[in-house]
Amino acid sequence: MNVDDDTLYDDSGNETSGDDVDFVIDVDNASNKELHSYDDEYQYEVLSTDDIVQHMVDCIKEVNTVVQIPLTTTRILLNYFNWDKEKLMERFFDGNQDDLFKEAHVINPFKKVNAVKPKISNKLLGTEECDICFMVFPPTQMTGLECGHRFCYQCWNEYLTTKIMEEGVGQTIACAAHNCPILVDDQTAMRLLKDPRVKLKYQHLITNSFVECNRLLRWCPSPDCSFAIKVSYVEAKPVACRCGHVFCFACGENWHDPVRCGLLKKWQKKCDDDSETSNWIAANTKECPKCNATIEKDGGCNHMICKNQNCKADFCWVCLGPWEPHGSSWYNCNRYDEDEAKAARDAQEKSRAALQRYLFYCNRYMNHMQSLRFEHKLYASVKDKMEEMQQHNMSWIEVQFLKKAVDILCQCRQTLMYTYVFAYYLKKNNQSVIFEDNQKDLERATELLSEYLERDITQENLIDIKQKVQDKYRYCDGRRMALLDHVHEGYEKDWWVYSE
Amino acid sequence: MAGLSPSERRLQKELMSLVKEPPPGVSVDPDIAERNLLQGAAGTLYEGERFQLQFKFSNKYPFDSPEVTFVGQNIPIHPHVYSNGHICLSILTDDWSPALSVQSVCLSIMSMLSSCKEKQRPPDNAFYVKTCNKNPKKTKWWYHDDSV
Ligand SMILES: [Zn+2]
Ligand SMILES: [Zn+2]
Ligand SMILES: [Zn+2]
Ligand SMILES: [Zn+2]
Ligand SMILES: [Zn+2]
Ligand SMILES: [Zn+2]
């Protein structure tokens, strides 16, 4: 966004008049709009920062054709309703309008305003005193909002700059007068601000709150990317940003088919909580049979005392039974088969089994994630191979199959990664067995393709290799589709039952 | 007043008008410019008492609010005044406006004292005084009911 370009907002409007101040942004709308869809009917647009501003203006204008109040007032009202047009219309036409304007902190444009009279410091000259710097100015150097509180331009600039830069406030900067709730609209802010850096920050704050409050918009979560995605209804579907990042519109995570947003969130929370788990399972530890705290045996004695200060249970390292009945048979546990000790060991086994199970899924999930992180390396090495092949009389177009193979490999890894989250929560039934078979097939096919791509394939018969690689990636893609289709069918037919 | 920054210039003017025509019950010590004396208004719980307010200003004043605390021997016993002199008053932080001044802060604090019906410390006084930052502006105030 070009901040020096003040025509983004109309500069000539006199905001104290209450007249309709128009936004002047002329972007050729029709030619700019480009609908995308990633892998099915779900359509979306990718918006640049300028497009976002344009979209905001369009939203305001659309509402304005119906409500017919100043554009600025409409913006503040829309923002108050999180850019939900319907909600605004409903309140506007069905409720008490005066209350509505009061709640949203704007002056009711249908009412004659009782603006505060300017403080005339010299009746003859008509000069006014600024209540912030206590200096006297001619009226042309004083300005303010509809409420009538007037301050000098210099003080307005300082005031807005402090709010924007120090406090990070954009949409909700109130008039500088004490206890005056009237909000500063964006044309006024842009007109009064001097420093282009502050203007830029201000526009970021405005667009950011527009995107964040708007259910149908989402920033691309990729770091340093400033595009946003616009949809016409919210659904957990993949969207691809112009920067290349593909993510789920509903939750903002990397596209995670076949697992659904809620379950993925639960999994991620579990992973965060359990990050110490792998250390925890070290061979020489057992859990206290009473409180399950981890106990490390650091000496030869079998009499263990739990280090958890709230527990301090006495137990036997060998049988995990309570220590007391062991009496003085210090190093020799002969109670291994007694009921109490058995129950304690069973409980421990159970908790270990649950942990082992979690680790099984977690490891596979992490492995695929790890491999995906090396994807750029693979692309680089494949690029080398493609260049080499072109020197062996293959055309550029003929060697594209290698890039395609890496694309598919990455897609398969990503799908596999999320299948382990899905599988972790899945309760066993006939369909889950089929799912696990599909998962195994895809896993095997993916590893074969991966190995094949890493081999030195340039020395062999190129035509032959092309055929083999294509066969392999087509097979992978087919297995991936089969797995996803099966899971989707299960969603429709309610096959999937989750544990926890 | 050449050479003064806008914030110094404004403070100079504020000081001059406070010395020349102080509002009733307020006097300023021009030597220690940032200290104001408050006198308990007649007919209130604080009749006859004298309090000292300390104002500290940053170079961003008046866009940045002043740091205002009671100092000296006599800290008023009031549900919004902690025994270390910190004052729980929204215009000193969240509701500060650059159009407010030393005078308007003094008047707000006077009216806060005048409307008090029972002399007591805030209920969380002991804990707050032990744990708070020296600068009351660093406190995330949870404003008490303003009618007290
Ligand atoms: Zn001014
Ligand atoms: Zn105002
Ligand atoms: Zn992006
Ligand atoms: Zn999602
Ligand atoms: Zn224990
Ligand atoms: Zn034992």
Side-chain angles (χ1 to χ4, degrees):
Chain A
M1 182 178 337
N2 184 359
V3 280
D4 294 328
D5 185 10
D6 276 343
T7 56
L8 256 187
Y9 299 91
D10 189 5
D11 247 352
S12 59
N14 175 1
E15 73 291 344
T16 53
S17 69
D19 281 343
D20 206 341
V21 183
D22 222 339
F23 285 77
V24 182
I25 303 179
D26 286 310
V27 176
D28 188 358
N29 230 352
S31 67
N32 235 13
K33 221 169 236 171
E34 207 183 316
L35 284 177
H36 299 262
S37 89
Y38 183 68
D39 68 5
D40 60 5
E41 312 286 69
Y42 195 60
Q43 290 195 323
Y44 56 89
E45 279 175 76
V46 183
L47 304 185
S48 68
T49 320
D50 285 337
D51 297 336
I52 294 167
V53 174
Q54 176 63 48
H55 178 43
M56 186 168 90
V57 172
D58 288 344
C59 287
I60 296 167
K61 281 187 175 160
E62 194 192 325
V63 171
N64 224 246
T65 54
V66 188
V67 299
Q68 291 176 343
I69 50 177
L71 287 176
T72 294
T73 312
T74 311
R75 185 184 70 76
I76 293 172
L77 287 181
L78 270 168
N79 193 60
Y80 179 68
F81 286 104
N82 287 334
W83 295 88
D84 187 330
K85 286 176 245 168
E86 278 72 42
K87 231 189 234 157
L88 167 58
M89 304 282 201
E90 198 178 300
R91 274 295 304 275
F92 191 85
F93 292 111
D94 299 344
N96 180 335
Q97 288 189 358
D98 215 32
D99 286 352
L100 171 64
F101 290 114
K102 220 171 272 160
E103 274 170 51
H105 298 310
V106 274
I107 297 264
N108 183 340
F110 300 116
K111 260 188 157 177
K112 201 68 221 114
V113 185
N114 288 329
V116 182
K117 291 257 151 42
K119 253 207 219 158
I120 308 293
S121 82
N122 184 321
K123 282 232 165 69
L124 263 174
L125 297 168
T127 50
E128 298 172 35
E129 191 188 30
C130 169
D131 268 345
I132 296 177
C133 61
F134 292 0
M135 309 266 279
V136 174
F137 294 95
T140 49
Q141 287 182 38
M142 299 281 287
T143 187
L145 308 166
E146 305 94 316
C147 53
H149 298 117
R150 289 159 66 80
F151 305 99
C152 74
Y153 279 93
Q154 178 62 38
C155 285
W156 267 115
N157 178 47
E158 279 298 308
Y159 173 69
L160 294 174
T161 302
T162 310
K163 287 280 170 193
I164 293 160
M165 302 307 272
E166 319 267 307
E167 296 170 36
V169 189
Q171 295 272 17
T172 54
I173 303 177
C175 165
H178 173 53
N179 253 339
C180 179
I182 299 308
L183 297 178
V184 181
D185 56 89
D186 35 1
Q187 297 102 301
T188 306
M190 289 301 279
R191 191 168 56 91
L192 295 174
L193 286 167
K194 289 181 187 152
D195 186 343
R197 268 190 11 234
V198 183
K199 286 184 176 189
L200 186 63
K201 173 82 189 284
Y202 177 74
Q203 291 190 316
H204 278 172
L205 289 168
I206 296 280
T207 47
N208 192 42
S209 82
F210 173 65
V211 172
E212 251 149 42
C213 293
N214 196 318
R215 288 177 62 246
L216 302 178
L217 292 174
R218 185 186 276 281
W219 288 116
C220 168
S222 177
D224 303 323
C225 179
S226 60
F227 290 111
I229 304 288
K230 176 183 170 244
V231 297
S232 46
Y233 57 95
V234 179
E235 210 177 322
K237 292 279 188 186
V239 291
C241 178
R242 216 170 286 163
C243 73
H245 186 59
V246 179
F247 61 97
C248 168
F249 186 83
C251 71
E253 287 294 328
N254 288 349
W255 178 232
H256 50 71
D257 207 19
V259 73
R260 286 183 163 174
C261 309
L263 218 51
L264 176 63
K265 204 170 180 186
K266 199 168 160 184
W267 169 262
Q268 282 168 335
K269 193 175 173 296
K270 184 175 176 64
C271 289
D272 285 348
D273 295 347
D274 288 354
S275 57
E276 290 304 306
T277 308
S278 23
N279 309 331
W280 197 65
I281 192 88
N284 276 332
T285 64
K286 288 190 184 179
E287 294 93 55
C288 165
K290 203 167 146 201
C291 74
N292 280 319
T294 317
I295 310 285
E296 219 168 317
K297 186 167 154 67
D298 49 8
C301 176
N302 285 333
H303 178 193
M304 305 304 293
I305 297 169
C306 176
K307 277 194 187 126
N308 174 355
Q309 288 305 302
N310 298 319
C311 171
K312 290 185 169 166
D314 280 37
F315 63 96
C316 165
W317 178 259
V318 179
C319 69
L320 291 177
W323 182 254
E324 223 207 314
H326 285 71
S328 58
S329 56
W330 291 111
Y331 294 103
N332 255 325
C333 172
N334 49 15
R335 298 176 51 83
Y336 198 78
D337 289 322
E338 289 188 20
D339 288 348
E340 212 170 346
K342 243 188 190 161
R345 286 203 310 277
D346 282 354
Q348 184 131 109
E349 218 113 89
K350 244 188 209 150
S351 93
R352 284 208 164 197
L355 184 67
Q356 294 285 15
R357 181 168 178 278
Y358 165 67
L359 286 175
F360 173 87
Y361 289 98
C362 196
N363 280 336
R364 276 154 189 78
Y365 171 81
M366 295 293 188
N367 278 343
H368 287 295
M369 192 194 281
Q370 204 85 38
S371 308
L372 274 172
R373 287 211 188 106
F374 293 123
E375 130 191 15
H376 61 278
K377 261 192 184 161
L378 194 54
Y379 275 112
S381 93
V382 156
K383 202 169 153 260
D384 290 345
K385 281 178 187 153
M386 283 159 72
E387 270 158 22
E388 221 180 310
M389 284 178 171
Q390 284 177 68
Q391 287 170 4
H392 287 83
N393 285 332
M394 277 183 116
S395 71
W396 180 85
I397 200 93
E398 277 175 307
V399 298
Q400 290 309 307
F401 72 94
L402 270 178
K403 192 186 161 291
K404 172 93 182 164
V406 181
D407 288 345
I408 295 211
L409 178 65
C410 291
Q411 283 172 4
C412 288
R413 288 213 184 279
Q414 185 143 342
T415 302
L416 276 168
M417 173 175 150
Y418 293 113
T419 60
Y420 286 104
V421 181
F422 181 69
Y424 175 74
Y425 290 106
L426 202 57
K427 268 197 178 156
K428 208 177 168 94
N429 61 22
N430 291 341
Q431 294 299 336
S432 81
V433 173
I434 299 176
F435 165 76
E436 274 169 13
D437 286 345
N438 286 341
Q439 190 186 32
K440 252 176 246 150
D441 285 351
L442 178 59
E443 180 101 57
R444 206 178 299 126
T446 304
E447 292 313 332
L448 279 173
L449 175 63
S450 173
E451 263 169 46
Y452 202 77
L453 286 176
E454 272 164 36
R455 280 172 42 198
D456 181 19
I457 46 182
T458 48
Q459 302 307 314
E460 300 166 35
N461 178 339
L462 291 182
I463 303 297
D464 196 37
I465 283 171
K466 182 170 178 176
Q467 194 56 53
K468 275 187 192 154
V469 169
Q470 280 179 333
D471 286 349
K472 285 197 162 56
Y473 78 58
R474 281 183 189 135
Y475 181 71
C476 279
D477 202 36
R479 293 319 306 159
R480 178 171 164 267
M481 284 309 160
L483 180 142
L484 290 176
D485 287 345
H486 177 247
V487 176
H488 295 161
E489 191 185 351
Y491 281 134
E492 263 160 43
K493 298 184 177 163
D494 272 333
W495 291 338
W496 312 125
V497 187
Y498 303 115
S499 59
E500 293 185 35
Chain B
M1 278 183 285
L4 289 182
S5 71
S7 108
E8 287 168 324
R9 204 160 46 211
R10 174 171 148 159
L11 277 170
Q12 197 75 61
K13 284 195 172 175
E14 282 199 53
L15 181 61
M16 266 164 30
S17 81
L18 275 172
V19 172
K20 260 200 290 189
E21 33 190 337
V26 179
S27 62
V28 62
D29 181 350
D31 291 332
I32 359 168
E34 78 271 27
R35 298 221 167 150
N36 280 11
L37 283 178
L38 290 192
Q39 211 153 14
T44 72
L45 291 176
Y46 304 93
E47 189 171 342
E49 288 187 72
R50 293 169 71 83
F51 307 108
Q52 233 185 355
L53 271 181
Q54 175 181 269
F55 283 74
K56 285 188 181 169
F57 308 96
S58 78
N59 57 5
K60 287 250 166 94
Y61 179 79
F63 300 99
D64 188 16
S65 63
E67 186 189 320
V68 185
T69 43
F70 278 106
V71 291
Q73 291 307 303
N74 197 17
I75 307 284
I77 315 256
H78 183 281
H80 293 178
V81 181
Y82 290 91
S83 55
N84 62 354
H86 286 193
I87 308 160
C88 174
L89 184 65
S90 65
I91 60 160
L92 296 179
T93 49
D94 290 8
D95 291 341
W96 171 254
S97 142
L100 289 169
S101 60
V102 173
Q103 174 166 338
S104 52
V105 169
C106 287
L107 291 177
S108 286
I109 292 175
M110 294 269 280
S111 101
M112 181 185 95
L113 292 179
S114 301
S115 60
C116 178
K117 290 176 196 73
E118 200 187 348
K119 276 185 161 188
Q120 56 181 20
R121 288 269 180 244
D124 58 335
N125 185 62
F127 181 74
Y128 175 78
V129 170
K130 244 189 280 165
T131 56
C132 69
N133 189 293
K134 256 214 185 124
N135 179 353
K137 289 176 66 184
K138 296 262 158 57
T139 300
K140 280 262 164 274
W141 293 100
W142 184 269
Y143 292 103
H144 300 94
D145 175 13
D146 270 339
S147 61
V148 185

